Amino acid sequence: MTAEPIRDMKALKEFAEHYLKRGQLRNHTLIVMGLNTALRISDLLSLKWEDLYDFERNVFREHFTLVEGKTRKTKTIALNKAALSALSTYFPHRNGAFIFPNNRASADPINRTQAHRIIKTAARNNRAAIHVSCHSLRKTFGYHAWKAGVTVVLLMDIYNHSDYNITRKYLGISQDELDAVYKEVVLGTK
């Protein structure tokens, strides 16, 4: 089954706060960062504190730059207030160079399988979509950006997509949403 975006705002809020309520700040930050950066999980897991935090000035960076693993393209991302809040809460509890370290003695980040379990658990224990996976974080960002009026062209650039149909599929645009546009745009009558 294809990963879906989390469309319902109440379910999204519950999903995002699942681990915060349990004091599991690493897992909470993983979900919030995934939702607010639209990064692939492999790129998210590779992030280190030095990528996001200026240790000389003791402040989080407004932007960070990375080379995407899949596309090898350089991407600069602004950290919004939700991402900064999660990072700031988690920062005093950091353990190692990676933002999402495993809980073992090694210095490695968690792997994709563990990230998938973290996300599935949060989705299963809340009202999030049934087909939620790591990719759902990326898709959820785009879906809500699109609903807020961000153009598909900008979202294609954020995702590094060269084809509109790929972005449309990512956004999870349903027939009901297309129908609503037809019903809302009424022309030629009073």
Side-chain angles (χ1 to χ4, degrees), residues 145-162:
W146 174 72
K147 291 293 278 185
V150 174
T151 66
V152 174
V153 172
L154 280 175
L155 290 170
M156 285 175 64
D157 196 41
I158 286 170
Y159 286 140
N160 279 324
H161 289 165
S162 57

Side-chain angles (χ1 to χ4, degrees), residues 162-182:
S162 57
D163 186 334
Y164 164 77
N165 288 321
I166 294 170
T167 305
R168 181 174 178 240
K169 185 177 177 182
Y170 253 64
L171 300 179
I173 299 170
S174 69
Q175 186 61 49
D176 289 345
E177 290 161 320
L178 295 174
D179 292 348
V181 172
Y182 286 115

Side-chain angles (χ1 to χ4, degrees), residues 15 18-19 22 24 31 114-126:
F15 171 73
H18 175 79
Y19 289 107
R22 288 157 178 76
Q24 296 174 330
I31 289 173
Q114 182 63 22
H116 180 77
R117 275 189 224 118
I118 290 166
I119 291 163
K120 287 294 276 187
T121 298
R124 190 173 37 252
N125 289 312
N126 296 289

Side-chain angles (χ1 to χ4, degrees), residues 86-143:
L87 287 164
S88 296
T89 301
Y90 176 41
F91 185 74
H93 307 280
R94 69 190 181 280
N95 181 21
F98 287 100
I99 295 175
F100 308 108
N102 64 37
N103 291 330
R104 297 184 191 97
S106 72
D108 296 330
I110 61 173
N111 60 37
R112 294 174 61 91
T113 302
Q114 182 63 22
H116 180 77
R117 275 189 224 118
I118 290 166
I119 291 163
K120 287 294 276 187
T121 298
R124 190 173 37 252
N125 289 312
N126 296 289
R127 293 182 287 179
I130 295 170
H131 303 293
V132 173
S133 72
C134 294
H135 225 54
S136 295
L137 304 179
R138 187 168 156 86
K139 289 182 174 189
T140 299
F141 172 89
Y143 175 80

Side-chain angles (χ1 to χ4, degrees), residues 9-24:
M9 288 301 283
K10 189 170 184 177
L12 180 57
K13 182 174 173 32
E14 289 174 3
F15 171 73
E17 293 178 352
H18 175 79
Y19 289 107
L20 181 61
K21 292 176 182 176
R22 288 157 178 76
Q24 296 174 330

